[in-house]
Amino acid sequence: MNLQRAFAVSILAFHVAAAFAQATPPAAPDDKAVPMAPIVVKASADASAEGLSPAYPGGQVARGGRAGILGTKDNLETPFSITAYTNELIQDKQARSVGDVLQNDPGVRIARGFGNFQEAYFIRGFILSSDDVAYNGLYSLLPRQYIATELFERVEVLRGATAFLGGASPGGDGIGGAINLLPKRAPNEPLNRVTLGFGDNSQYNVSADIARRFGPDGAMGVRINGAYRDGGTSIDDEHAELGLASIGLDWRSRDVRLSGDLGYQDNRLRQTRTNVSLGSGVTSVPGVPDAARNFAQPWSYSNEKDLFGTLRGEWDIARNVTLYGAYGLRRSEEANSLANITVDDGTTGASSVQRFDNTREDRVDTGEVGVRGKFRTGSVGHEWVVAASYFQGERDNAYAFDFFNSLPTNLYSPISHPQPAFSPATFYGNEISSPSLTGRTRLTSIAIGDTLSFLDNTLLATVGLRDQKLKVENFAYTTHAADPAYDDSRVSPAVGVVYRASKRLSLYANYIEGLTQGETAPSTAANLGEMLAPYVSKQKEVGVKYDAGRLGMSAAYFSTDKPRAIVDSSNTFTSNGEDRHQGLEFTLYGEAAPGLRVLGGATWLDAKQENTGSSATDGKRVIGVPRWQANFGIDWDIRAVEGLAVDARVVYTGSSFADGANTLEVPGWTRLDLGVRYLVEVQGKPVTLRARLDNATDKNYWASVGGFPGIGYLVVGAPRTFTLSGSVDF
């Protein structure tokens, strides 16, 4: 047993013994029965006694959010940067996906996953794929391509590495931060809400949100959501269809709290505009095509079906000691026929496409168990937690890639082709109609943490360790031969300090690590097939948070070093390289004046490649990461017309590079979004009408660069997009 594990075991023994020593309440002074207080039901997304963090004035964000295994924390009392966006914001901005919600976050930029239409997110300049988004605290349970907003109550963004707080993410992301989505729960009052919406090119949507509480004291809650969308988009000839249904249940007694969720989503895309790859001979970034133009092939499509669910529970086994557990699963099927465009001439836009079909099935099972509690040793308070987690994901894949059968097209004057039959030179992997196992990931971990409070709770110190084991198995296409399994482990520490200088002001600092699987040496290296030890990213952060009562703000400086693999002068594949991301963040939220809500901030990023082994890339900026990005939004009640409100949002993203040598610079952009809503009573029923105009000036721009490490493909931003909706509560 190494020193870190021995320390963890000794701390665990001390905390459990101390907690149970104080767990038995004192006897009543006489034999008279002590009257029991009624159960007070408070809707909670995660079956916890803490419940949801309350909304901050203005209603767009919450006062805090979940800090992994530490539970839900107030912003001023956690040494980490967390923003939780509320369902009120989701509705008022008519956000349809996680990416739409995060358009309001100055530290996040939306991109696309590699080779498909998957959402991906740059957090502090590091990529987080939608595969690694958490649902109610558990990774990889939601649809991995696109997550509709009807499924969740809150979007929580935790900035910074998270190996201790949530464990290593299955896809190897989570270095720059984590995203956690909270499911909906039945409120204390009955809810019946129907929404109808319309948009560009005959797109329409309908959704229903119904909730009830039952039983004594409303202890049992049921919430049902259903939605259907169909029609065109603001991009020519695109078609999107989505259907979903979900049910969320919760029940609580005095000492036990339970919740469960089950959801189904069917997302179908036809002729969706693709990513734009730049060929090896391209020496300049092509000009942006018309934002409404579609260069996708008419036969291309992408379909995904997902069934997913969670169970979560808590049991107060003694005073100030709570046992908790959770389990989640996902079963998914995907089928695609793609024809991504590759630009061969950046001036003329001459390009080519090849047919690429693939199918995929996913099976995910994951869970966690833990115990948390509180006690005091003299003047020092303790909030401790011990937890264990398990994740297993299996992936079945098959593909057919007709690489040598290129079809000509043009970025600016697209050429449509009939769907080509596969040529004799097509590369195949497994049977398209019956994909086979190609990957299995198993993650297990044990974590222990304690938040100590000193000086009447003005000084808080959090310490923790997580012992994480990573086992990754890959199986060859067609032959199904197993590669050597990646099997390694690492103990990840975390330390954080908060100083409450006043009721309104907190200063904080943290050191925390990220953990991802090391890479395998390629065939060109002298150490072919060698698996590198897990990559450990190291983050240091200091910051300040201020709550003025109705207006909140925060500022932080962070520095994160992430290892990267290089082939050194001796032709050995090694992890001596690194990406170093340093930055400053500022956020602002709340009510600047009665009826005037603000939300936004700015981020400065210095993301560089270090010790790459090549003078062409040493010291150059990381692909896809701008130096500056900023958001600012206002939401204003028009007092002259009761129930009327307008909003405006400006999104700015600076220039970035599409290649590691920084020879292909992609221009920055600024976008303006506008909205209006009107709340009126019709026959005694509240009706909310909303209209929105995103990209109001119809700007043509490259919305993102990359979305997969080391690859600099481009995505064209959507044109001016109009949406209109009406909701009625009855």
Side-chain angles (χ1 to χ4, degrees), residues 265-422:
Q265 180 177 288
D266 185 357
N267 187 37
R268 298 173 179 267
L269 306 175
R270 294 204 303 271
Q271 201 175 343
T272 301
R273 187 166 62 191
T274 71
N275 306 334
V276 177
S277 297
L278 302 181
S280 57
V282 173
T283 58
S284 61
V285 174
V288 188
D290 186 295
R293 179 161 293 158
N294 192 351
F295 37 76
Q297 291 299 307
W299 41 266
S300 60
Y301 73 90
S302 178
N303 296 337
E304 180 189 19
K305 296 180 181 180
D306 298 270
L307 177 68
F308 50 92
T310 64
L311 294 171
R312 183 172 286 274
E314 283 190 352
W315 177 25
D316 299 332
I317 57 177
R319 188 178 67 179
N320 293 330
V321 180
T322 298
L323 180 68
Y324 69 92
Y327 167 73
L329 65 81
R330 172 169 62 89
R331 302 292 185 262
S332 300
E333 296 180 358
E334 298 178 35
N336 309 274
S337 186
L338 308 173
N340 286 2
I341 188 171
T342 299
V343 174
D344 302 310
D345 188 317
T347 302
T348 66
S351 308
S352 60
V353 298
Q354 298 93 23
R355 180 179 174 184
F356 177 70
D357 288 15
N358 69 90
T359 55
R360 172 170 172 154
E361 296 177 2
D362 285 73
R363 296 174 297 279
V364 172
D365 294 273
T366 183
E368 64 176 350
V369 293
V371 60
R372 61 166 58 98
K374 300 179 182 180
F375 68 93
R376 300 193 68 84
T377 54
S379 62
V380 180
H382 299 264
E383 290 190 25
W384 60 274
V385 61
V386 180
S389 67
Y390 173 84
F391 175 93
Q392 178 167 296
E394 292 185 332
R395 179 183 68 253
D396 296 354
N397 266 120
Y399 70 86
F401 187 20
D402 205 354
F403 177 77
F404 293 109
N405 186 21
S406 291
L407 305 173
T409 187
N410 191 283
L411 183 65
Y412 308 112
S413 301
I415 302 172
S416 294
H417 299 273
Q419 185 176 32
F422 285 117

Side-chain angles (χ1 to χ4, degrees), residues 185-196:
R185 291 285 173 260
N188 289 336
E189 299 299 325
L191 173 66
N192 299 288
R193 177 176 297 146
V194 173
T195 301
L196 297 175

Side-chain angles (χ1 to χ4, degrees), residues 193-209:
R193 177 176 297 146
V194 173
T195 301
L196 297 175
F198 304 91
D200 296 285
N201 293 330
S202 302
Q203 186 179 83
Y204 71 91
N205 66 84
V206 57
S207 64
D209 190 354

Side-chain angles (χ1 to χ4, degrees), residues 16 51 69 105 107 111 129 164 220 232 270 282 293 306 383 431 457 463 521 527 550 607 633 646 649 676 683-684:
V16 172
I69 63 170
D105 195 297
S129 66
F164 161 68
M220 174 72 181
R270 294 204 303 271
V282 173
R293 179 161 293 158
D306 298 270
E383 290 190 25
E431 293 290 334
N457 295 325
V463 293
N527 56 336
R550 304 193 67 81
V646 297
R649 178 178 64 199
V676 59
Q683 296 184 348

Side-chain angles (χ1 to χ4, degrees), residues 124-126 557-562 578-585 603-610 619-623 625-629 655 657 662:
R124 291 185 170 177
F126 294 103
Y557 168 77
F558 63 88
S559 176
T560 304
D561 297 335
K562 172 201 170 188
E578 68 178 17
D579 289 341
R580 175 169 295 172
H581 292 217
Q582 303 177 84
L584 292 168
E585 293 174 335
T603 299
W604 171 78
L605 275 168
D606 181 25
K608 290 183 178 178
Q609 308 166 73
E610 304 284 354
K620 300 298 176 65
R621 286 164 56 186
V622 175
I623 290 175
V625 181
R627 285 194 185 277
W628 287 97
Q629 54 194 48
S655 63
F657 289 96
N662 289 184

Side-chain angles (χ1 to χ4, degrees), residues 65-71 78-85 102 105 108 123-124 128 155-163 165-166 174-180 510 512 539 541 585:
R66 178 181 289 170
I69 63 170
L70 300 180
T78 177
F80 306 102
S81 176
I82 304 173
T83 302
Y85 296 98
L102 296 181
D105 195 297
V108 180
I123 307 178
R124 291 185 170 177
L128 177 74
V155 178
E156 297 181 331
V157 180
L158 194 161
R159 301 174 187 87
T162 59
L165 296 172
I175 294 173
I179 297 171
N180 182 45
N510 69 58
I512 189 169
Q539 174 192 288
E541 179 178 353
E585 293 174 335

Side-chain angles (χ1 to χ4, degrees), residues 694-717:
D694 289 325
N695 190 8
T697 62
D698 202 22
K699 184 178 182 63
N700 299 326
Y701 64 101
W702 294 115
S704 64
V705 181
F708 190 84
I711 308 295
Y713 50 86
L714 310 175
V715 175
V716 181

Side-chain angles (χ1 to χ4, degrees), residues 115-189:
N116 52 31
F117 310 113
Q118 177 187 43
E119 282 192 345
Y121 319 98
F122 279 97
I123 307 178
R124 291 185 170 177
F126 294 103
I127 298 165
L128 177 74
S129 66
S130 56
D131 301 64
D132 286 335
V133 168
Y135 184 52
N136 211 4
L138 299 175
Y139 287 127
S140 198
L141 293 181
L142 290 166
R144 73 179 204 94
Q145 297 278 0
Y146 179 90
I147 308 170
T149 54
E150 287 87 353
L151 293 169
F152 48 85
E153 179 72 23
R154 295 241 172 117
V155 178
E156 297 181 331
V157 180
L158 194 161
R159 301 174 187 87
T162 59
F164 161 68
L165 296 172
S169 60
D173 297 330
I175 294 173
I179 297 171
N180 182 45
L181 308 182
L182 296 181
K184 294 179 176 180
R185 291 285 173 260
N188 289 336
E189 299 299 325

